[in-house]
Amino acid sequence: MRNFLIFIFLLFSTKTLTSAAERAPKTKTIYVSSQSGQRVGFGIKRLVDGLIKTGYEVKLTVVDYKHKFVKGKNSIVVGTADDKILKPQFPVSLVKQASTEGKEGFSISYDQDGTLYIIGADHSGTLYGCLDLIDRIDVSKRLPAKLAVTDHPEMVLRGTCIGLQKPDYLPGHDVYEYPYTEESFPWFYHKKLWIKYLDMMVENRYNSLYLWNGHPFSSLLRLKEYPYAVEVDDATLKKNEEIFRFLTKEADKRGIWVIQMFYNIIIPKPFADKHGLKTQDRNRPIIPLIADYTQKSIAAFVAKYPNVGLMVALGEAMEGVGQDDIDWFTKTIIPGVKDGLKAAGIKEEPPIVLRAHDTDAPAVMKAALPFYKNLYTENKFNGEALTTYGPRGAWADLNRKLAAIGTVNISNVHILANLEPFRYGSADFIQKSVIAMNKIYNAKGLHLYPQHSYWDWPYAADDVKGRILEVDRDWIWYKEWARYAWKSERNRSQEITYWGKQLADKYGSSLADGKSILNAYEESGEISPKLLRRYGITDGNRQTLTLGMLMTQLINPFRYGLFTLMYESEAPEGEMIIEYAEKEWKKQGHIGETPVRVAKEVVEHGKKALASIETVEATKDVEEFNRLKNDMYCYDEMANFYAEKVKSALWILRFKYSNNVADLEQALPFLQKSVDHYAKLVKLTEDSYLYANSMQTKQRKIPMRGVDKTFIHWKEMLPVFTKELNHFKKSIDSLKSLNGTEAAKVIPYKAAEVNVLNESASYIINKNVDVFTDTSVLIKEVAEQLIGLKGIKMSKEKQVKTGTEIKFTTKNPVKLLVGFFNQKNPKYLAPPQLETDASANNYGQSEIKISNALVLNGFPPANVHAYLFPAGTHTLNLGKGECLILGFIDDKQELRIFNAGLDGRGKDIDWLFE
């Protein structure tokens, strides 16, 4: 009781409860139990503030076993259904109502004697009951005379996330490796910013906050067994401990559970350097030393921060799906948690969220649940984008499978690489998405990323002096997802009015104008999802949709590592551009959502968004309204850029079949219009945005590879698209002068001098040559460029069981060519894929250099990727699965990207643009 009284005193010591007395106030007495906790106290403080603001004089009385509350029309009684002091005095029916609502539920009702009761099923429910009443007071500007409300959230977990990560890599570190320091994250130590963010969360009824980092433990604690593993100095470690305790305490007041996420297997740089290890190596087996360090780190973290949950990403830094995932989770992570509980004398298991990304989550959960019960799963909703509210196929099946485990499955709205940086606030799209989470995925949780600028948080991408905060700019993003995570199926017409009023209040406009702003949000909100799901290469953050796409990416997507799951599961049934063109040529019927239909629709969405926003008169927050308005113009130009380019692409693909230059001439004016629209997009963004994509590393590939913060702005892409257009014009002229017979010249590759240290068998690439040491498989077809190279013979059985390791030394920089079979099969080594492996471009290997370059008897065609190495001695470890080591070429030798066409699907026409 004493602690609660102190808490209440601190809550109200800086504010008089009678500030409205001079206005002939209406008096209300709030009664609260001495057994109430911090969450109830926080809710009461908010309620008192709301009443005072509305003109009430408020008295606060703490009730204990000796004192009862006074009933009557001036009394508000606040407590939980199981409160031992208040429960005997609560009306039985109201207690039952609140209890029936379940976790985080509440009841707000007047009794016959006029007493107003706010009763929560638990402390969070009581807090939410207070907040609900405040919202009603804000709307009516008084305490409602009649109330009989019960409510509870649909989603068990409703969370947002913040990345302690940066747009680029730290010196000497790899992806995700960001120690917590003031130099890297000054905002992390800003308590007022944390309070602002946590207040946003509680106002929107979020109850979980995810902090993302590769390896946070070396920034938050020091192990006695591994004292050298700490990555920060003593003063910083002390600050980190203090701010982390502050954050978790303030979050708990607001009913928010802090969840610390980490990747596996990543180790701190001092630890790695001391033991001669890499900080992360996807193909490294589990090493006892690393397992021991990790287990002890988790144990110390749990003991030190017992009210913090953990989120585990087994994939990316480990070898993906396999027994190692299960062993790491069940033999290292969970034992570490249990060790921490034992050391702290805690019996209740803290929750662990298993991220399903790049791991067999059902198998991991099956192995873990027998000895650890408080587990959750988490999986991406639409990959790292927002593409559809009608997910289907294998991805929907996986989510349903996770939900069927019997624990809570959480839908993760991740990265949003197709939305950033333009504002997004389509209540309609978001509501339908949450309904899909509930009804299609059977998910019971939401894990929400920032709408943009995740890697540069807390700042927005807008070019504004002094920067603006992402949480301020994207207020409607957080509010919409939270509203529907609480209750998804709401009346559409009522929702239009609700959001119209929110926007009218925001910008000082009429309700009609507020609805017009909403319509602009909703029309523009269809553009990026439709564009990516019908034209894109990937749902991952290696593609920045708003920067555009190259023509070769539209007409030859497989060359760029097309992520087909996006089309199969994260889009309505329909056709890719290349499929549509082939069907047109063969005069076959079309199915579902087509590229032509989307081109028309996105242009129409852009027109309607502009028509809506241009009629609005804003009188408040005018500068922000103008930024929003500018975004609508950006959406419109982007839609037209894509639409015109797709029209051009379809004529170009027709040429692939017709060999008629006239088809290319038909394509030219559309491509010219596309560049013209992009030039307008550049003007709209040149002075309004600092960048398009907040991830500014070598992981970005589409439309251009981004290294050292290059190709992050539209003005950098305009010369690329202009050059593409000019090259196309020259190609047409060349074809016309040569009667349509021009094609790219074949330049054979020359083998580089390299000393391979661990493999002795080799072969010279040509037809009818065998390529494995333990089976007679011959080359059936091979691209001319590869003939004569010196391949390395590998054991097929060894590749499947243990993987492929190549040790070599070279005096000059070289490229190692590796062939990946272009068919999904557990026995084939999967090609580098940034969607699941953040290290998949560490050697420049993620892009296909030669598509369909080689065919073995009994095998699908193989695509060639290139791994770049400087002079020196190197070891390349590839994952488990069959692949071809095709030999080394000098780094200076040009490696032209093309499709050899040995899959029988037609000729390469990329040379028209390169």
mmCIF file of all heavy atoms in Angstrom, residues 512-537:
data_model
loop_
_atom_site.group_PDB
_atom_site.id
_atom_site.type_symbol
_atom_site.label_atom_id
_atom_site.label_comp_id
_atom_site.label_asym_id
_atom_site.label_seq_id
_atom_site.Cartn_x
_atom_site.Cartn_y
_atom_site.Cartn_z
ATOM 1 N N ALA A 512 -15.973 17.523 -44.246
ATOM 2 C CA ALA A 512 -15.968 17.137 -45.655
ATOM 3 C C ALA A 512 -14.541 17.120 -46.203
ATOM 4 O O ALA A 512 -14.153 16.199 -46.945
ATOM 5 C CB ALA A 512 -16.833 18.093 -46.467
ATOM 6 N N ASP A 513 -13.764 18.130 -45.803
ATOM 7 C CA ASP A 513 -12.366 18.154 -46.234
ATOM 8 C C ASP A 513 -11.571 17.015 -45.597
ATOM 9 O O ASP A 513 -10.682 16.430 -46.230
ATOM 10 C CB ASP A 513 -11.722 19.498 -45.872
ATOM 11 C CG ASP A 513 -12.018 20.570 -46.915
ATOM 12 O OD1 ASP A 513 -12.623 20.235 -47.952
ATOM 13 O OD2 ASP A 513 -11.647 21.740 -46.687
ATOM 14 N N GLY A 514 -11.884 16.715 -44.352
ATOM 15 C CA GLY A 514 -11.221 15.597 -43.683
ATOM 16 C C GLY A 514 -11.466 14.291 -44.428
ATOM 17 O O GLY A 514 -10.554 13.473 -44.603
ATOM 18 N N LYS A 515 -12.695 14.099 -44.885
ATOM 19 C CA LYS A 515 -13.015 12.895 -45.658
ATOM 20 C C LYS A 515 -12.301 12.913 -47.007
ATOM 21 O O LYS A 515 -11.921 11.856 -47.530
ATOM 22 C CB LYS A 515 -14.533 12.800 -45.851
ATOM 23 C CG LYS A 515 -15.296 12.465 -44.573
ATOM 24 C CD LYS A 515 -16.792 12.338 -44.830
ATOM 25 C CE LYS A 515 -17.544 11.961 -43.550
ATOM 26 N NZ LYS A 515 -18.995 11.823 -43.797
ATOM 27 N N SER A 516 -12.109 14.091 -47.570
ATOM 28 C CA SER A 516 -11.380 14.189 -48.837
ATOM 29 C C SER A 516 -9.914 13.803 -48.651
ATOM 30 O O SER A 516 -9.320 13.128 -49.505
ATOM 31 C CB SER A 516 -11.473 15.616 -49.403
ATOM 32 O OG SER A 516 -12.791 15.900 -49.833
ATOM 33 N N ILE A 517 -9.328 14.231 -47.533
ATOM 34 C CA ILE A 517 -7.940 13.841 -47.251
ATOM 35 C C ILE A 517 -7.851 12.325 -47.101
ATOM 36 O O ILE A 517 -6.926 11.687 -47.620
ATOM 37 C CB ILE A 517 -7.429 14.540 -45.980
ATOM 38 C CG1 ILE A 517 -7.446 16.059 -46.148
ATOM 39 C CG2 ILE A 517 -6.008 14.073 -45.651
ATOM 40 C CD1 ILE A 517 -7.158 16.824 -44.869
ATOM 41 N N LEU A 518 -8.814 11.750 -46.390
ATOM 42 C CA LEU A 518 -8.846 10.296 -46.240
ATOM 43 C C LEU A 518 -8.935 9.625 -47.605
ATOM 44 O O LEU A 518 -8.237 8.626 -47.864
ATOM 45 C CB LEU A 518 -10.022 9.870 -45.369
ATOM 46 C CG LEU A 518 -10.217 8.349 -45.223
ATOM 47 C CD1 LEU A 518 -9.043 7.714 -44.494
ATOM 48 C CD2 LEU A 518 -11.525 8.035 -44.507
ATOM 49 N N ASN A 519 -9.770 10.149 -48.470
ATOM 50 C CA ASN A 519 -9.909 9.554 -49.805
ATOM 51 C C ASN A 519 -8.592 9.628 -50.577
ATOM 52 O O ASN A 519 -8.233 8.690 -51.300
ATOM 53 C CB ASN A 519 -11.017 10.255 -50.589
ATOM 54 C CG ASN A 519 -11.364 9.508 -51.855
ATOM 55 O OD1 ASN A 519 -11.809 8.361 -51.814
ATOM 56 N ND2 ASN A 519 -11.148 10.142 -52.999
ATOM 57 N N ALA A 520 -7.879 10.746 -50.418
ATOM 58 C CA ALA A 520 -6.570 10.867 -51.069
ATOM 59 C C ALA A 520 -5.612 9.808 -50.540
ATOM 60 O O ALA A 520 -4.867 9.171 -51.306
ATOM 61 C CB ALA A 520 -6.001 12.269 -50.842
ATOM 62 N N TYR A 521 -5.611 9.618 -49.217
ATOM 63 C CA TYR A 521 -4.794 8.562 -48.613
ATOM 64 C C TYR A 521 -5.169 7.192 -49.194
ATOM 65 O O TYR A 521 -4.290 6.368 -49.490
ATOM 66 C CB TYR A 521 -5.027 8.528 -47.104
ATOM 67 C CG TYR A 521 -4.061 9.322 -46.259
ATOM 68 C CD1 TYR A 521 -4.518 10.230 -45.303
ATOM 69 C CD2 TYR A 521 -2.687 9.140 -46.376
ATOM 70 C CE1 TYR A 521 -3.644 10.939 -44.488
ATOM 71 C CE2 TYR A 521 -1.801 9.843 -45.568
ATOM 72 C CZ TYR A 521 -2.285 10.740 -44.629
ATOM 73 O OH TYR A 521 -1.410 11.435 -43.824
ATOM 74 N N GLU A 522 -6.457 6.944 -49.337
ATOM 75 C CA GLU A 522 -6.898 5.603 -49.733
ATOM 76 C C GLU A 522 -6.697 5.349 -51.227
ATOM 77 O O GLU A 522 -6.372 4.221 -51.620
ATOM 78 C CB GLU A 522 -8.348 5.393 -49.306
ATOM 79 C CG GLU A 522 -8.476 5.386 -47.785
ATOM 80 C CD GLU A 522 -9.840 4.994 -47.271
ATOM 81 O OE1 GLU A 522 -10.815 5.092 -48.042
ATOM 82 O OE2 GLU A 522 -9.934 4.588 -46.097
ATOM 83 N N GLU A 523 -6.866 6.365 -52.046
ATOM 84 C CA GLU A 523 -6.568 6.196 -53.470
ATOM 85 C C GLU A 523 -5.066 5.994 -53.681
ATOM 86 O O GLU A 523 -4.645 5.068 -54.381
ATOM 87 C CB GLU A 523 -7.062 7.411 -54.269
ATOM 88 C CG GLU A 523 -8.577 7.548 -54.352
ATOM 89 C CD GLU A 523 -9.244 6.456 -55.183
ATOM 90 O OE1 GLU A 523 -8.533 5.738 -55.923
ATOM 91 O OE2 GLU A 523 -10.479 6.313 -55.100
ATOM 92 N N SER A 524 -4.266 6.847 -53.072
ATOM 93 C CA SER A 524 -2.811 6.700 -53.219
ATOM 94 C C SER A 524 -2.322 5.418 -52.556
ATOM 95 O O SER A 524 -1.305 4.837 -52.974
ATOM 96 C CB SER A 524 -2.090 7.908 -52.608
ATOM 97 O OG SER A 524 -2.299 7.971 -51.197
ATOM 98 N N GLY A 525 -3.054 4.961 -51.555
ATOM 99 C CA GLY A 525 -2.660 3.764 -50.827
ATOM 100 C C GLY A 525 -2.762 2.477 -51.615
ATOM 101 O O GLY A 525 -2.259 1.430 -51.188
ATOM 102 N N GLU A 526 -3.408 2.517 -52.773
ATOM 103 C CA GLU A 526 -3.491 1.341 -53.647
ATOM 104 C C GLU A 526 -2.320 1.273 -54.626
ATOM 105 O O GLU A 526 -2.042 0.213 -55.200
ATOM 106 C CB GLU A 526 -4.804 1.364 -54.437
ATOM 107 C CG GLU A 526 -6.058 1.210 -53.597
ATOM 108 C CD GLU A 526 -6.263 -0.204 -53.093
ATOM 109 O OE1 GLU A 526 -5.654 -1.135 -53.652
ATOM 110 O OE2 GLU A 526 -7.046 -0.382 -52.139
ATOM 111 N N ILE A 527 -1.627 2.383 -54.826
ATOM 112 C CA ILE A 527 -0.646 2.465 -55.912
ATOM 113 C C ILE A 527 0.577 1.581 -55.661
ATOM 114 O O ILE A 527 0.890 0.686 -56.463
ATOM 115 C CB ILE A 527 -0.228 3.933 -56.148
ATOM 116 C CG1 ILE A 527 -1.423 4.723 -56.670
ATOM 117 C CG2 ILE A 527 0.938 4.015 -57.128
ATOM 118 C CD1 ILE A 527 -1.187 6.224 -56.782
ATOM 119 N N SER A 528 1.290 1.803 -54.573
ATOM 120 C CA SER A 528 2.506 1.027 -54.322
ATOM 121 C C SER A 528 2.240 -0.470 -54.144
ATOM 122 O O SER A 528 2.997 -1.293 -54.679
ATOM 123 C CB SER A 528 3.241 1.593 -53.102
ATOM 124 O OG SER A 528 3.825 2.844 -53.423
ATOM 125 N N PRO A 529 1.204 -0.865 -53.401
ATOM 126 C CA PRO A 529 0.925 -2.305 -53.316
ATOM 127 C C PRO A 529 0.685 -2.952 -54.672
ATOM 128 O O PRO A 529 1.203 -4.038 -54.954
ATOM 129 C CB PRO A 529 -0.334 -2.348 -52.432
ATOM 130 C CG PRO A 529 -0.226 -1.148 -51.560
ATOM 131 C CD PRO A 529 0.352 -0.099 -52.462
ATOM 132 N N LYS A 530 -0.092 -2.309 -55.529
ATOM 133 C CA LYS A 530 -0.381 -2.896 -56.839
ATOM 134 C C LYS A 530 0.858 -2.940 -57.719
ATOM 135 O O LYS A 530 1.089 -3.919 -58.452
ATOM 136 C CB LYS A 530 -1.501 -2.112 -57.522
ATOM 137 C CG LYS A 530 -2.874 -2.357 -56.919
ATOM 138 C CD LYS A 530 -3.984 -1.626 -57.671
ATOM 139 C CE LYS A 530 -5.354 -1.964 -57.078
ATOM 140 N NZ LYS A 530 -6.463 -1.278 -57.775
ATOM 141 N N LEU A 531 1.657 -1.880 -57.693
ATOM 142 C CA LEU A 531 2.859 -1.841 -58.522
ATOM 143 C C LEU A 531 3.826 -2.965 -58.162
ATOM 144 O O LEU A 531 4.327 -3.673 -59.047
ATOM 145 C CB LEU A 531 3.559 -0.488 -58.372
ATOM 146 C CG LEU A 531 2.868 0.728 -58.996
ATOM 147 C CD1 LEU A 531 3.630 2.001 -58.650
ATOM 148 C CD2 LEU A 531 2.742 0.578 -60.508
ATOM 149 N N LEU A 532 4.085 -3.133 -56.876
ATOM 150 C CA LEU A 532 5.081 -4.133 -56.482
ATOM 151 C C LEU A 532 4.584 -5.542 -56.764
ATOM 152 O O LEU A 532 5.330 -6.384 -57.282
ATOM 153 C CB LEU A 532 5.434 -3.984 -55.007
ATOM 154 C CG LEU A 532 6.581 -4.902 -54.561
ATOM 155 C CD1 LEU A 532 7.898 -4.471 -55.197
ATOM 156 C CD2 LEU A 532 6.732 -4.931 -53.048
ATOM 157 N N ARG A 533 3.342 -5.822 -56.416
ATOM 158 C CA ARG A 533 2.853 -7.201 -56.543
ATOM 159 C C ARG A 533 2.679 -7.632 -57.993
ATOM 160 O O ARG A 533 2.588 -8.818 -58.281
ATOM 161 C CB ARG A 533 1.543 -7.352 -55.777
ATOM 162 C CG ARG A 533 0.320 -6.740 -56.433
ATOM 163 C CD ARG A 533 -0.854 -6.713 -55.488
ATOM 164 N NE ARG A 533 -2.103 -6.330 -56.137
ATOM 165 C CZ ARG A 533 -3.137 -5.826 -55.490
ATOM 166 N NH1 ARG A 533 -3.079 -5.633 -54.179
ATOM 167 N NH2 ARG A 533 -4.255 -5.530 -56.134
ATOM 168 N N ARG A 534 2.651 -6.678 -58.937
ATOM 169 C CA ARG A 534 2.466 -7.052 -60.340
ATOM 170 C C ARG A 534 3.720 -6.855 -61.180
ATOM 171 O O ARG A 534 3.895 -7.509 -62.208
ATOM 172 C CB ARG A 534 1.299 -6.233 -60.924
ATOM 173 C CG ARG A 534 0.699 -6.795 -62.169
ATOM 174 C CD ARG A 534 0.429 -8.286 -62.112
ATOM 175 N NE ARG A 534 -0.431 -8.686 -61.014
ATOM 176 C CZ ARG A 534 -0.430 -9.900 -60.481
ATOM 177 N NH1 ARG A 534 0.377 -10.824 -60.928
ATOM 178 N NH2 ARG A 534 -1.228 -10.203 -59.476
ATOM 179 N N TYR A 535 4.630 -5.964 -60.755
ATOM 180 C CA TYR A 535 5.820 -5.677 -61.556
ATOM 181 C C TYR A 535 7.140 -5.972 -60.833
ATOM 182 O O TYR A 535 8.189 -5.997 -61.467
ATOM 183 C CB TYR A 535 5.857 -4.191 -61.969
ATOM 184 C CG TYR A 535 4.620 -3.672 -62.646
ATOM 185 C CD1 TYR A 535 4.246 -2.335 -62.504
ATOM 186 C CD2 TYR A 535 3.829 -4.493 -63.446
ATOM 187 C CE1 TYR A 535 3.112 -1.827 -63.143
ATOM 188 C CE2 TYR A 535 2.684 -4.004 -64.079
ATOM 189 C CZ TYR A 535 2.332 -2.673 -63.918
ATOM 190 O OH TYR A 535 1.213 -2.186 -64.541
ATOM 191 N N GLY A 536 7.107 -6.153 -59.526
ATOM 192 C CA GLY A 536 8.333 -6.151 -58.740
ATOM 193 C C GLY A 536 9.189 -7.390 -58.873
ATOM 194 O O GLY A 536 8.770 -8.440 -59.380
ATOM 195 N N ILE A 537 10.403 -7.278 -58.350
ATOM 196 C CA ILE A 537 11.356 -8.381 -58.295
ATOM 197 C C ILE A 537 11.235 -9.130 -56.979
ATOM 198 O O ILE A 537 11.381 -10.341 -56.917
ATOM 199 C CB ILE A 537 12.808 -7.857 -58.447
ATOM 200 C CG1 ILE A 537 12.990 -7.163 -59.802
ATOM 201 C CG2 ILE A 537 13.819 -8.985 -58.278
ATOM 202 C CD1 ILE A 537 12.876 -8.072 -60.997
#
